[in-house]
Amino acid sequence: MSRLGVNIDHVATLRQARRAKYPDPLAAALIAERAGADQITVHLRGDRRHIQDHDLFRLQASVQTFLNVEAACTDDMFAVLDQVRPHRVTLVEERPGEVTTEGGLDVVRHRDEVAAFCARLQAIGIRIALFVDPDDEQIAQSCLLPGVDTVELNTAAYAETGAADELARLAKACLRAREMDLMVAAGHGLTLHNLGALVRAAPGIEEYNIGHALIGDAVFLGLDESVRRYKAACRGA
Ligand code: PXP
């Protein structure tokens, strides 16, 4: 049974739309955990468009499950992560002006820069995941980097197209990563409609990180019911 990481960025998006105090991402995290979330995931963006530094400190103090922070390899991020010390950091590519994360981190092209950042995180005892496209070369390079024990496979191409070959690409990448003793997570663009087929095609995926659709569904269903439905979908139900 795969774990569900609930990404609560868009609770903060709603709050920041008014620069108000609510809705509070911490309150969302606690409801999500009570409804069965195995992990809370947040993306601290360089432009701080949703999650703020103070959210991370509050989440780290109160999350009972596991706090996974997505961040780019910058000195600004390292300074915050060093203070917060989340359980795990997932390194992502951030392009200026993008609406959402557009692609996996290119660990082949940026090997030296990513390796140096991983070494800094490893030195302070933070577990490391890399968000990569489902590509053999990216996975082979990921397992060589210091402190990396997890790859999160980028599911955007599958989510956008629903194509069988994208599903097959994810299943193959998952097997390759498992052969290299990496833990496999997946995320981006997953919904209640496209999750089931992926769970069945790639049973080796141990964790799903889902935000936009889960929070969107929560507007109509309530957050606890939305989390329960995604959790059931992660079980292949
Ligand atoms: N995983 C990573 C690495 C991401 O950057 C995101 C988006 O912030 C997600 C998962 C969740 O994607 P979505 O919001 O489309 O479910």
Side-chain angles (χ1 to χ4, degrees):
M1 185 177 76
S2 309
R3 291 191 303 278
L4 172 64
V6 173
N7 179 315
I8 53 171
D9 290 349
H10 295 307
V11 176
T13 301
L14 197 54
R15 178 190 64 191
Q16 296 307 111
R18 285 282 177 95
R19 302 277 187 276
K21 289 204 165 73
Y22 64 90
D24 182 0
L26 174 58
L30 301 180
I31 291 168
E33 286 188 321
R34 273 201 301 276
D38 301 291
Q39 166 174 304
I40 301 301
T41 295
V42 287
H43 185 168
L44 185 67
R45 284 191 162 270
D47 63 10
R48 306 299 197 274
R49 71 174 74 153
H50 37 56
I51 294 293
Q52 307 294 306
D53 299 22
H54 62 79
D55 292 318
L56 289 191
F57 289 99
R58 294 172 67 232
L59 288 162
Q60 176 62 7
S62 300
V63 161
Q64 300 288 314
T65 53
F66 192 89
L67 182 64
N68 174 40
V69 178
E70 298 168 0
C73 300
T74 65
D75 288 340
D76 168 36
M77 285 300 134
F78 186 81
V80 181
L81 296 167
D82 188 19
Q83 290 178 63
V84 175
R85 305 280 176 116
H87 298 107
R88 186 172 75 202
V89 169
T90 300
L91 296 177
V92 298
E93 187 100 39
E94 249 178 58
R95 298 187 178 101
E98 67 185 3
V99 173
T100 181
T101 312
E102 282 174 356
L105 181 62
D106 189 341
V107 291
V108 175
R109 189 156 167 221
H110 303 300
R111 187 193 59 197
D112 294 345
E113 178 196 341
V114 178
F117 200 82
C118 289
R120 292 169 82 186
L121 290 174
Q122 187 186 35
I124 58 171
I126 298 180
R127 287 180 56 184
I128 307 163
L130 303 176
F131 180 63
V132 294
D133 290 334
D135 174 272
D136 268 8
E137 250 195 305
Q138 298 294 333
I139 291 163
Q141 183 58 56
S142 296
C143 82
L144 299 175
L145 297 178
V148 172
D149 64 10
T150 302
V151 281
E152 177 171 337
L153 301 176
N154 180 8
T155 54
Y158 162 62
E160 277 157 25
T161 62
D165 57 343
E166 291 297 344
L167 205 53
R169 205 173 145 213
L170 286 161
K172 183 167 162 275
C174 174
L175 289 175
R176 183 103 177 97
R178 294 293 293 259
E179 276 165 18
M180 295 182 170
D181 276 338
L182 291 164
M183 209 279 281
V184 185
H188 212 284
L190 296 175
T191 69
L192 283 176
H193 301 289
N194 61 26
L195 183 55
L198 180 57
V199 170
R200 288 187 291 278
I205 295 176
E206 291 170 68
E207 172 189 310
Y208 288 96
N209 288 299
I210 307 179
H212 185 257
L214 187 154
I215 299 298
D217 288 343
V219 171
F220 303 103
L221 297 170
L223 182 56
D224 50 0
E225 179 60 20
S226 183
V227 170
R228 279 194 286 274
R229 290 195 192 184
Y230 279 83
K231 177 91 181 164
C234 286
R235 279 197 294 267

